[in-house]
Amino acid sequence: MYATLEGLRRFNIPHNFEVVSIITLYAQWIRDGRLKVDPTWNTEGLKFSVQDPCKLVRQSLGDPVADDLRFVIKSVVGEENFIDVWPNKSNNYCCGGGGGALQAGFVANRRQHGKTKFDQLNATGADVVITPCHNCHTQVMDICEHFGGKWQTTHLWGWIVKALKR
Amino acid sequence: MSDQYDLSKLRTRVKRQIEKAVPDAKIDYCLTCGLCASGCPASGIEDMDPRKFLRYLVLGQNDIILKTNWIYSCSLCQRCKYACPMGIDVGRIVYEVKGMRPKEERPTNLQRSCDLQKAGNSTGIPDADFVWVVGDILEEVHELEPEWADLQAPMDKIDAQFYLNQNAKEPTVEPEEMVPLWKILHTVGIDWTYSSKWWDGANYCLFPGDPEDWEYTVRKQAETVNELGCTTYINTE
Amino acid sequence: MPKGSVLVVGGGIAGVQAALDLANSGFLVHLVEKTTAIGGKMSQLDKTFPTNDCSACILSPKLVECGRHFNINLLTLSDLISLEGEPGSFTAVVRQRPRYIDPDKCIACGLCAEKCPKKVDDEYNLGISKRKAAYLSFPQAVPLKYAIDPDHCIWIKKPGKCGACVKVCPADAINFDDTEKEHILEVGSVVLALGFSPYDPSSLDFTGYGRLPNVITTMEFERYLSPSGPCMGHMERPSDGREPSRVAWLQCVGSRDINRSCHPYCSSVCCMFAIKQAVIAKEHAHGDFSPSIFFMDMRTHGKGFEDYYNRARKEGVNFHRARVHSVLPGEEEDSLRLRYVNEQGETCFEEFDMVILSTGLEANKQTVELAKMLELKLDEDNFVKTDVFHPVSTSRPGIFVCGAAAEPKDIPQSVMEASAAAMEAGRMLAPARWQETVVKKYPLERDVHAEVPRIGVFVCHCGINISSVVDVDSVMEYAKTLPDVVFAQTNLFTCSQDTIDQMVNTIKEQGLNRVVVASCSPRTHEPLFQETLRDAGLNKFLFEMANIRDQDSWVHRDEPEAATVKAKDLVHMAVARVRGKGALPYNTVKVKKSALVIGGGMGGMTAALSFAEQDFPVTLVEQTDRLGGNANKLYRTWQADEVQPYLAETIKKINDNPRIDVRMNCQVEDVGGSVGHFTTQLSDGFSLTHGVAVMAVGGEAYKPEGKWNYLYSKNPNVHTLLEVDQMLIDGQADFKQTAQAVFIHCVGSRIPERPWCSRVCCTHAIDSAIKLKELNPEMDIFMLYRDIRTYGQRERIYQEARAKGIVFIRYDLDHLPGATEKNGKIIIQTHDPIVDGDITLHPDLLILATAIQPRQDSGNLSKFFKCAIDAHGFLLEAHMKLRPVDFATDGVYLAGLCHYPKPLEETIAQAKAAAARATIVLSQDEVPAESITAMVNEAKCTGCGVCVTVCAYSAVSMDEDNNVAEVNTDLCKGCGACVAGCRSDAMTLMNVGNEQLMAAVEAAFE
């Protein structure tokens, strides 16, 4: 998100379109009633937490998109099944996988960086951590495994489909 | 014993080079308050933190700045800038320093991801494979899930309202992860399309530090969407 | 003829001080306050630094004086709507919102608030508690009148719906038909004392404010600590009411920040504010208490502040030089976790019960709107624009400003500026003095001399200050049992307006002829109670105080029972003393309407001009052959105005003014007399009488010695800041050949020998560095500092210096920079704590920011006027918070460096303030003189003459015909030296003679 938005701005690249995040659209569609979701599938009370991708939230769209993200998750898994992290939204920690860290090697350093994120997510006790960013997804999954976490790391879309009412 | 620094002349070359590229870098504004370091998950890695990094720049210790691999632990996440009283964006400064490192001395995979992206996408699969995988998976859904028999994944559809990018990870290693999003878009009923070129939503050229590479890939993506005539670019993240 | 009245806008401490100074020097004052009561922010504070005085206690007498003053027209719930006209003659329109409770009828019984069903957030307590729609903002409010909040009152919203207050009000004071009123006021000048707003940290998510319940602001914490606050002074944390034991303060929230709050300036007060809170909270705590302060630079730059900081460290306040990115929830219930990186680069975690944000000061919205309406210039930070040489003048003539509306500042500085603004506002109206005022008339005094004593005792709770330790009811019951006591009662705040009014009635109804108040210190409150006696028709000397607070409840907080016994003893003693007292005459001294100013520096000259321009003759004494003092050595101010042209202009004004007699190469040799009529002998043989004196004797630069020498006077390239200023004034040096310059801060300051901060040197050094950088942009400049103290808007030049690439390297007393010489070249060794590296510098120019110290002879001078000096040799004002330019000796005032190191703008403001305070005396024809004077029992006097020798005031002489001593009551100050010196027990002090003292002693041991 940031790479595109900031790239268009910084290099003054001509374009005839606006750039939006799918998260914003999910929230809009649920509010509009175009996307009908029902959390009753979550009979076992699976607990969910979330990672706010830096590039999407802090660096691009700020708290509104983070609020949308939470709204969508709560709509899909049930309000009571969402456990937020602290700090969160625009002030959330980076997972440690961004900025090329996942590609750069220095695995021990990357995991040391990710330890903060691990401790934070682990403290929620959530069963599932939703990561709407591919980098975050890879890193959160890696630190979970490396530091012995118990959660499952997933994208958001699968859960939406699970809750979908057509 | 402490490190020794003889400052008969302040060597500000690196600092000035950064300031040339980033006029509002404000490196000298640093109050050394340590707020950045207290909020940075990368503090302590490679015996460095954001405050020390700025401090070495202020003190003209260019060798340390150009040599430290901490720049690859800084994820340019800007959490420091978020609360810094002077609004100093250490990530932005690290980005410039990354670019100062000769390509051959950079972490191999980091540079390669960008090189691949410049050639099309970050995992390096041929565009034709992407088109084929999308078609193949769609067909599978049609076969196995009759209730989704009318699901679509349009490719290069001119004048669709929405353009959807696609992170290269899915078509390369977990193609079934593309399906949920198609289903959502289908349910909502929007008019959307993929592109068969410059379709990758990731942009790894942001990371090695060469703005021209970053610009190149964003420009390619923008041209593609402009050509398709879409008015909204959906980032899947 | 100009108008003889002044409009003062804003009823905080600055506005109140300006109003009192003006009203007491002959002007009618209209004091406009936007809320229901005066008192402002200071009334919301619990204790004040650096004296730890109870804020309300020291403020309250001023508020009451304001409220009762015949020449102050107090307009609450009011706003200035428009101002037309010219200096000397303005027409102001003030709009007063309805109170809905008739202040003439309201007896402040509180029934309306008790019965009012509508609860709303109490803004006086910053929303941490509720009040009713019918309310009184605080117990000592002036005027002590309830008000109805129209935004929340049920009746006002829907007439007929409630009306509970109307039913219960015993005074028929509720008036829902009250309407807005417009007052059209003709005034000669205007003083703006608009105050500030505390910065609202709600938008800073990382602080946790508004998200985590135990994160609060410093102002909120004051309300938690305050006896009149929602917790009655018990320290509680918001989430569960538990007493916190681990508390962190985070400094610079909304200050020194160009990122999130857009407040580049330093708010000046928050460092001391936080230290004070840490110290006071420790006192409040019942168990272990561990306070921690997280800061960037510790800014304790005011008088007494550095001592306070050092004491706090010794007493266990933890200071962390680290800022904290985010406040996080802790592991325990509602606790908070801070992660910080210390200067060694180590990451530390610490758990706290409560986090307090030291939020900064910002210009309030009202200031911005009013400035727009009045067409006043604001500065970049939306404060009212002033300049260094005219620190209380706005851009519009006739309108003056004081306090935090012009720049963030502390209370003493605000009070100084208030007096300075009063000076400026009054100076232009001097011809109209006493034209619009009325004189207070007291009822005829009852002659009680033949009556049997009927003593009334009033025992004060002082909120919880006394009653939380001393059982005041039992003290009151005890008082009733004492002989001649015919009446006793307790009061929540004896000094509040309603109690005072009630006391007048009680004295009359009960036929009291002696009064004892058992409360606080006579130093602050005796005049108020004595005035009350006069209002009730009693001679004011038929009064005694028992200090059961400062000398009892505060010092024996852990022994409530013993403290109660002691309170009874103190009351018993006071009753015994007052029983033997008689009425005394109100002596006066005719005022000699001229001033003596000692010191011809900027402070002295400014004071002299202030007097002369009001037509009061001045004698200005300068000990050297040159006017200007230290200002002669200054190149420019921090706002880059050159000092020398302004100095030359000022000297010219002095020399051209026929009212000013300048005496050069001259010193004071002897002083006699007292306020209204001093007699001073000068070294040039001249002697004069004068009504007042201003001491502006300056200070001097410390000469670097010992480990602070740094090759000074050994290597030609080592200079002090003032020497560099001289080079810049001379304009000869271009510094083009200087490749590297190093400044060393705090040379001789903040060390055991000179433990104060010299206040000006950080700003001065940084400005000099900027100037060098301007002259030679290629120069590398290093500043070796301990804390940068560019307080207030001076922070701007610190930022500018950094932006210019000037490098700041911190040092501490354990790692002093070292200087050596090699082949004439200077080598500086220092240590950078951030990279933990030893740094070697090779300056071509080494500049030492040396301390400012009191002049060696200012101690001697102070003795002439019986003025005190502090532990460091600076002249000691009467009260560090609220009387910053007065001496304890009446009629003598101080200004400038002899008080404490300060920059020019503050010296100028203080000098104007000193003149304003002195003008109160000079504007009267006569002033009260001592009534408690010595008396000779001629039957016992042997005529030995010892009393004549020991009298420091020349008040005793020998009646040669009868060979007995006689006392000149005009000169006698009642000091008692003659009484102590008399070998035949012939001397006695009226009302404090052996009779009264022995009665008190006997009472103590009864």
Side-chain angles (χ1 to χ4, degrees):
Chain A
M1 188 77 194
Y2 174 81
T4 311
L5 267 182
E6 176 64 14
L8 291 171
R9 194 196 62 81
R10 190 178 300 178
F11 307 117
N12 200 18
I13 295 170
H15 57 287
N16 309 324
F17 50 86
E18 60 162 345
V19 182
V20 298
S21 165
I22 190 72
I23 307 293
T24 312
L25 293 177
Y26 289 154
Q28 196 181 309
W29 292 334
I30 292 174
R31 284 194 193 98
D32 291 351
R34 291 170 77 181
L35 194 59
K36 292 189 181 59
V37 286
D38 179 356
T40 51
W41 64 268
N42 191 4
T43 50
E44 286 172 26
L46 273 181
K47 300 296 177 201
F48 288 73
S49 194
V50 71
Q51 160 62 352
D52 295 290
C54 309
K55 295 267 179 289
L56 170 66
V57 179
R58 179 166 46 248
Q59 296 179 251
S60 298
L61 305 179
D63 280 359
V65 75
D67 288 331
D68 280 348
L69 179 56
R70 281 157 180 74
F71 167 71
V72 175
I73 296 173
K74 287 175 187 171
S75 305
V76 165
V77 308
E79 178 117 30
E80 67 283 9
N81 295 316
F82 175 71
I83 307 167
D84 212 336
V85 286
W86 198 293
N88 56 28
K89 304 181 192 173
S90 295
N91 191 34
N92 207 335
Y93 296 126
C94 172
C95 63
L102 275 165
Q103 291 74 31
F106 306 109
V107 176
N109 285 354
R110 173 169 57 75
R111 287 179 176 151
Q112 188 182 338
H113 188 150
K115 182 66 167 50
T116 305
K117 176 56 58 184
F118 172 81
D119 289 341
Q120 180 205 36
L121 287 172
N122 205 39
T124 66
D127 306 298
V128 182
V129 172
I130 292 187
T131 58
C133 149
H134 287 79
N135 256 314
C136 300
H137 187 271
T138 309
Q139 168 78 349
V140 170
M141 202 179 320
D142 178 74
I143 54 173
C144 179
E145 196 183 309
H146 179 77
F147 294 112
K150 302 257 185 303
W151 71 76
Q152 183 194 351
T153 310
T154 73
H155 289 287
L156 178 53
W157 42 54
W159 302 104
I160 298 179
V161 171
K162 209 171 174 74
L164 204 57
K165 290 275 166 286
R166 294 181 74 193
Chain B
M1 182 165 140
S2 298
D3 296 326
Q4 303 292 317
Y5 305 99
D6 191 302
L7 303 183
S8 45
K9 179 72 199 157
L10 264 184
R11 291 166 298 149
T12 52
R13 176 179 65 83
V14 174
K15 192 178 82 182
R16 281 205 305 269
Q17 200 176 329
I18 295 167
E19 283 163 350
K20 208 173 155 200
V22 191
D24 63 344
K26 296 188 286 196
I27 296 165
D28 288 322
Y29 283 56
C30 177
L31 288 157
T32 66
C33 71
L35 182 141
C36 52
S38 95
C40 173
S43 284
I45 296 174
E46 301 280 338
D47 196 24
M48 188 65 77
D49 63 43
R51 170 170 62 173
K52 272 173 120 171
F53 189 78
L54 290 179
R55 194 67 184 161
Y56 284 121
L57 275 170
V58 167
L59 295 175
Q61 299 308 305
N62 301 335
D63 298 347
I64 295 173
I65 290 294
L66 295 176
K67 222 165 53 197
T68 180
N69 283 328
W70 183 77
I71 57 173
Y72 299 111
S73 284
C74 168
S75 55
L76 321 179
C77 83
Q78 294 187 329
R79 190 164 186 264
C80 50
K81 179 201 177 191
Y82 189 67
C84 169
M86 294 291 111
I88 302 171
D89 186 349
V90 179
R92 185 70 185 83
I93 293 161
V94 165
Y95 174 84
E96 293 300 323
V97 174
K98 280 179 167 183
M100 289 178 195
R101 194 172 284 211
K103 282 196 177 162
E104 59 280 9
E105 290 173 24
R106 294 177 189 172
T108 324
N109 285 339
L110 182 65
Q111 188 58 44
R112 201 174 61 203
S113 302
C114 173
D115 293 342
L116 286 171
Q117 184 127 24
K118 274 165 68 187
N121 65 76
S122 53
T123 51
I125 62 163
D127 289 341
D129 286 10
F130 169 60
V131 174
W132 181 83
V133 167
V134 168
D136 186 51
I137 290 290
L138 186 65
E139 213 168 292
E140 210 174 289
V141 173
H142 289 164
E143 277 171 26
L144 300 177
E145 299 179 65
E147 70 274 26
W148 292 102
D150 50 352
L151 188 70
Q152 290 181 11
M155 193 66 73
D156 295 331
K157 184 175 170 191
I158 299 296
D159 288 343
Q161 187 189 349
F162 293 90
Y163 165 76
L164 183 70
N165 68 14
Q166 177 60 60
N167 188 287
K169 189 176 166 191
E170 278 99 20
T172 313
V173 294
E174 44 189 8
E176 65 288 351
E177 273 288 348
M178 294 189 287
V179 180
L181 187 50
W182 299 346
K183 288 179 176 172
I184 293 167
L185 299 182
H186 185 79
T187 307
V188 177
I190 63 161
D191 179 17
W192 69 278
T193 184
Y194 275 138
S195 165
S196 63
K197 55 179 185 171
W198 303 106
W199 46 269
D200 187 0
N203 197 328
Y204 287 101
C205 290
L206 176 61
F207 305 141
D210 298 320
E212 56 281 7
D213 291 349
W214 176 16
E215 179 180 355
Y216 175 78
T217 51
V218 176
R219 198 173 282 280
K220 284 293 171 200
Q221 287 172 6
E223 280 167 14
T224 306
V225 182
N226 280 342
E227 276 169 30
L228 287 170
C230 302
T231 53
T232 305
Y233 175 126
I234 304 179
N235 196 304
T236 55
E237 299 189 338
Chain C
M1 176 86 113
K3 297 282 186 293
S5 55
V6 179
L7 180 71
V8 176
V9 186
I13 178 61
V16 164
Q17 183 66 47
L20 287 173
D21 285 345
L22 283 161
N24 287 333
S25 55
F27 300 101
L28 172 64
V29 175
H30 303 283
L31 177 57
V32 172
E33 161 60 37
K34 64 177 185 289
T35 71
T36 57
I38 54 174
K41 298 287 186 300
M42 186 175 174
S43 76
Q44 292 173 284
L45 304 179
D46 175 40
K47 299 282 183 347
T48 63
F49 61 78
T51 51
N52 289 355
D53 275 310
C54 160
S55 187
C57 301
I58 57 173
L59 174 64
S60 189
K62 287 202 189 248
L63 301 185
V64 172
E65 189 187 348
C66 227
R68 291 155 59 107
H69 206 292
F70 270 48
N71 293 316
I72 297 177
N73 172 30
L74 183 52
L75 295 164
T76 52
L77 290 165
S78 296
D79 304 293
L80 175 61
I81 298 303
S82 72
L83 187 78
E84 306 278 323
E86 298 297 319
S89 178
F90 289 109
T91 303
V93 179
V94 171
R95 193 171 291 157
Q96 187 168 31
R97 284 162 273 135
R99 183 179 275 269
Y100 299 108
I101 292 182
D102 186 340
D104 293 335
K105 291 182 180 170
C106 176
I107 55 166
C109 65
L111 278 173
C112 54
E114 198 181 311
K115 296 295 176 200
C116 174
K118 182 72 182 175
K119 283 189 176 175
V120 300
D121 280 348
D122 185 354
E123 68 276 9
Y124 187 79
N125 283 331
L126 301 141
I128 56 183
S129 67
K130 299 281 183 190
R131 62 160 167 81
K132 300 294 187 60
Y135 70 106
L136 181 74
S137 51
F138 61 110
Q140 303 100 315
V142 172
L144 194 82
K145 303 294 173 187
Y146 279 74
I148 291 176
D149 181 343
D151 294 337
H152 296 99
C153 170
I154 299 170
W155 181 284
I156 292 169
K157 296 252 157 204
K158 281 191 180 158
K161 280 288 178 203
C162 175
C165 50
V166 181
K167 286 173 212 140
V168 297
C169 178
D172 194 22
I174 313 290
N175 174 18
F176 286 126
D177 300 326
D178 201 2
T179 51
E180 201 168 82
K181 295 177 196 67
E182 255 186 22
H183 304 272
I184 296 171
L185 307 169
E186 302 288 332
V187 296
S189 53
V190 179
V191 174
L192 301 176
L194 306 167
F196 65 93
S197 295
Y199 174 72
D200 177 3
S202 301
S203 65
L204 306 182
D205 57 348
F206 42 84
T207 62
Y209 183 78
R211 295 163 177 81
L212 298 166
N214 291 326
V215 178
I216 63 171
T217 67
T218 39
M219 276 307 274
E220 288 167 351
F221 192 54
E222 285 296 318
R223 297 312 298 153
Y224 278 100
L225 290 177
S226 170
S228 69
C231 311
M232 308 289 287
H234 300 291
M235 184 165 55
E236 292 175 9
R237 66 174 193 175
S239 70
D240 52 11
R242 198 162 65 73
E243 183 177 296
S245 62
R246 300 159 303 175
V247 177
W249 280 260
L250 304 186
Q251 298 307 105
C252 296
V253 176
S255 303
R256 304 181 67 189
D257 176 326
I258 56 174
N259 183 18
R260 299 293 291 262
S261 73
C262 299
H263 291 164
Y265 54 85
C266 158
S267 293
S268 258
V269 302
C270 330
C271 280
M272 274 304 288
F273 199 11
I275 302 175
K276 178 211 74 180
Q277 289 194 336
V279 168
I280 297 295
K282 219 167 151 55
E283 279 178 16
H284 277 249
H286 294 87
D288 286 345
F289 187 78
S290 169
S292 299
I293 297 177
F294 293 84
F295 68 99
M296 291 202 269
D297 293 284
M298 186 42 64
R299 295 190 167 172
T300 48
H301 49 271
K303 187 168 184 171
F305 295 3
E306 188 76 9
D307 292 327
Y308 199 94
Y309 173 34
N310 289 334
R311 207 161 55 237
R313 277 193 299 198
K314 280 202 195 90
E315 286 173 8
V317 179
N318 305 305
F319 288 87
H320 299 288
R321 191 180 296 275
R323 287 203 65 184
V324 176
H325 185 287
S326 288
V327 180
L328 309 171
E331 279 163 14
E332 299 154 32
E333 179 88 25
D334 293 328
S335 71
L336 302 159
R337 190 172 156 84
L338 300 183
R339 170 182 152 150
Y340 62 96
V341 175
N342 65 19
E343 272 192 304
Q344 289 71 49
E346 296 153 358
T347 301
C348 313
F349 290 93
E350 216 171 311
E351 193 100 348
F352 291 94
D353 300 313
M354 199 158 141
V355 168
I356 299 172
L357 307 177
S358 282
T359 44
L361 280 54
E362 64 183 10
N364 62 34
K365 265 197 220 122
Q366 192 210 6
T367 301
V368 178
E369 285 162 15
L370 202 57
K372 203 170 166 190
M373 189 272 284
L374 296 172
E375 294 172 348
L376 302 182
K377 282 195 186 121
L378 296 177
D379 63 29
E380 317 66 337
D381 303 315
N382 271 344
F383 294 106
V384 177
K385 194 166 171 55
T386 59
D387 74 66
V388 166
F389 301 129
H390 308 90
V392 295
S393 300
T394 69
S395 58
R396 187 165 162 195
I399 303 182
F400 305 95
V401 63
C402 56
E407 189 185 0
K409 57 178 67 78
D410 60 12
I411 291 169
Q413 193 62 34
S414 297
V415 171
M416 273 184 224
E417 286 187 1
S419 293
M423 171 80 258
E424 292 291 352
R427 167 159 63 182
M428 51 197 301
L429 311 180
R433 202 187 295 281
W434 304 119
Q435 296 301 303
E436 298 183 24
T437 50
V438 289
V439 180
K440 173 160 182 179
K441 287 208 169 60
Y442 294 101
L444 206 63
E445 275 181 16
R446 213 167 92 213
D447 182 4
V448 303
H449 130 271
E451 295 177 11
V452 284
R454 290 181 61 81
I455 303 171
V457 178
F458 298 82
V459 185
C460 189
H461 286 252
C462 197
I464 60 156
N465 275 305
I466 296 170
S467 62
S468 65
V469 179
V470 171
D471 180 351
V472 290
D473 285 329
S474 101
V475 174
M476 184 266 286
E477 290 302 336
Y478 170 76
K480 281 183 177 169
T481 67
L482 296 171
D484 300 325
V485 172
V486 296
F487 177 85
Q489 72 171 34
T490 65
N491 306 105
L492 185 59
F493 289 102
T494 311
C495 57
S496 66
Q497 183 77 56
D498 63 326
T499 314
I500 293 288
D501 294 344
Q502 208 187 58
M503 199 185 286
V504 172
N505 291 332
T506 306
I507 292 171
K508 288 183 189 160
E509 285 162 18
Q510 302 285 331
L512 303 180
N513 55 25
R514 306 281 190 288
V515 173
V516 169
V517 173
S519 61
C520 51
S521 169
R523 220 160 46 92
T524 52
H525 283 64
E526 191 175 48
L528 171 66
F529 297 130
Q530 288 187 325
E531 169 117 346
T532 308
L533 263 66
R534 292 191 75 176
D535 287 336
L538 279 185
N539 183 276
K540 74 174 188 179
F541 297 100
L542 300 165
F543 174 75
E544 263 298 331
M545 277 182 91
N547 189 343
I548 60 169
R549 189 189 67 181
D550 309 30
Q551 294 171 3
D552 191 18
S553 67
W554 279 358
V555 285
H556 306 301
R557 67 173 67 245
D558 300 327
E559 299 165 280
E561 278 162 26
T564 301
V565 172
K566 180 172 173 182
K568 288 176 181 171
D569 283 347
L570 289 168
V571 168
H572 193 175
M573 291 169 75
V575 167
R577 278 198 305 272
V578 83
R579 186 181 295 119
K581 284 193 165 185
L584 296 181
Y586 299 118
N587 292 336
T588 56
V589 170
K590 203 165 175 306
V591 174
K592 170 78 182 166
K593 299 201 175 205
S594 64
L596 169 68
V597 176
I598 308 168
M602 195 59 99
M605 289 195 294
T606 303
L609 283 169
S610 302
F611 290 123
E613 288 169 12
Q614 298 179 91
D615 244 9
F616 296 120
V618 189
T619 304
L620 177 61
V621 173
E622 166 57 40
Q623 68 165 1
T624 70
D625 58 0
R626 187 179 181 195
L627 288 174
N630 283 307
N632 283 306
K633 303 172 192 163
L634 296 176
Y635 170 57
R636 68 179 188 185
T637 72
W638 70 273
Q639 293 181 335
D641 308 301
E642 286 194 21
V643 172
Q644 295 313 309
Y646 179 76
L647 178 60
E649 186 191 322
T650 307
I651 293 173
K652 184 170 187 315
K653 273 193 199 162
I654 291 279
N655 289 329
D656 290 352
N657 194 311
R659 286 287 186 192
I660 304 174
D661 175 20
V662 184
R663 300 193 157 263
M664 310 291 276
N665 299 309
C666 182
Q667 288 177 325
V668 171
E669 295 220 311
D670 196 18
V671 179
S674 61
V675 54
H677 194 96
F678 292 101
T679 312
T680 298
Q681 179 67 47
L682 301 178
S683 61
D684 62 0
F686 184 73
S687 102
L688 69 151
T689 57
H690 51 99
V692 294
V694 173
M695 307 256 277
V697 298
E700 61 193 22
Y702 162 72
K703 290 269 174 284
E705 298 160 354
K707 64 179 171 182
W708 298 104
N709 174 256
Y710 291 116
L711 305 172
Y712 181 74
S713 75
K714 298 188 179 81
N715 185 298
N717 296 318
V718 182
H719 298 284
T720 65
L721 278 176
L722 288 178
E723 288 164 4
V724 173
D725 270 21
Q726 194 56 55
M727 294 182 216
L728 293 168
I729 293 169
D730 296 345
Q732 303 299 322
D734 65 1
F735 300 97
K736 290 282 186 250
Q737 302 309 313
T738 310
Q740 189 179 87
V742 170
F743 288 71
I744 303 179
H745 290 234
C746 290
V747 173
S749 297
R750 302 178 62 199
I751 53 172
E753 304 91 290
R754 243 167 272 91
W756 63 90
C757 162
S758 296
R759 192 172 174 105
V760 301
C761 353
C762 278
T763 307
H764 192 170
I766 288 171
D767 183 60
S768 300
I770 289 171
K771 181 69 191 176
L772 292 182
K773 199 82 177 166
E774 282 165 2
L775 289 170
N776 176 8
E778 295 307 309
M779 193 189 303
D780 288 340
I781 302 181
F782 296 88
M783 316 295 282
L784 312 186
Y785 73 100
R786 289 174 61 193
D787 289 277
I788 291 294
R789 294 183 168 176
T790 43
Y791 59 95
Q793 292 174 309
R794 291 155 196 82
E795 181 73 6
R796 177 163 281 121
I797 69 165
Y798 177 30
Q799 186 183 309
E800 183 189 340
R802 298 196 312 280
K804 283 185 154 42
I806 294 167
V807 178
F808 290 77
I809 303 177
R810 210 179 67 74
Y811 75 87
D812 56 42
L813 288 181
D814 299 331
H815 299 90
L816 285 188
T820 50
E821 215 177 358
K822 200 173 174 187
N823 304 329
K825 284 284 288 179
I826 306 164
I827 300 167
I828 297 288
Q829 293 284 351
T830 194
H831 184 84
D832 183 82
I834 309 298
V835 300
D836 188 22
D838 292 335
I839 303 226
T840 307
L841 300 166
H842 305 272
D844 309 304
L845 180 61
L846 176 63
I847 300 163
L848 309 178
T850 50
I852 293 175
Q853 55 190 6
R855 284 171 29 145
Q856 301 295 321
D857 54 355
S858 61
N860 291 334
L861 259 171
S862 68
K863 285 189 195 126
F864 288 131
F865 288 102
K866 321 247 165 352
C867 299
I869 56 168
D870 69 15
H872 308 318
F874 291 106
L875 298 179
L876 183 62
E877 61 272 40
H879 189 273
M880 276 159 89
K881 206 75 183 177
L882 292 186
R883 292 182 66 193
V885 299
D886 303 2
F887 279 112
T889 308
D890 288 340
V892 192
Y893 309 88
L894 78 170
L897 299 183
C898 60
H899 163 254
Y900 191 71
K902 56 175 67 71
L904 262 184
E905 58 272 31
E906 292 172 12
T907 289
I908 292 171
Q910 197 179 14
K912 289 182 176 178
R917 300 289 295 164
T919 297
I920 295 174
V921 173
L922 295 184
S923 59
Q924 323 282 330
D925 292 331
E926 50 187 32
V927 289
E930 190 55 58
S931 292
I932 300 175
T933 53
M935 192 170 57
V936 186
N937 183 337
E938 294 182 6
K940 288 185 178 178
C941 179
T942 61
C944 71
V946 170
C947 48
V948 180
T949 326
V950 297
C951 180
Y953 303 93
S954 313
V956 193
S957 56
M958 289 309 290
D959 174 353
E960 302 291 351
D961 297 342
N962 300 310
N963 195 36
V964 287
E966 65 182 358
V967 177
N968 179 344
T969 50
D970 285 352
L971 297 177
C972 177
K973 300 301 285 180
C975 72
C978 57
V979 179
C982 181
R983 285 176 275 198
S984 45
D985 196 24
M987 278 287 187
T988 187
L989 272 182
M990 304 222 269
N991 272 359
V992 278
N994 284 347
E995 184 197 339
Q996 292 86 7
L997 294 177
M998 287 317 291
V1001 172
E1002 277 161 27
F1005 293 105
E1006 213 169 77

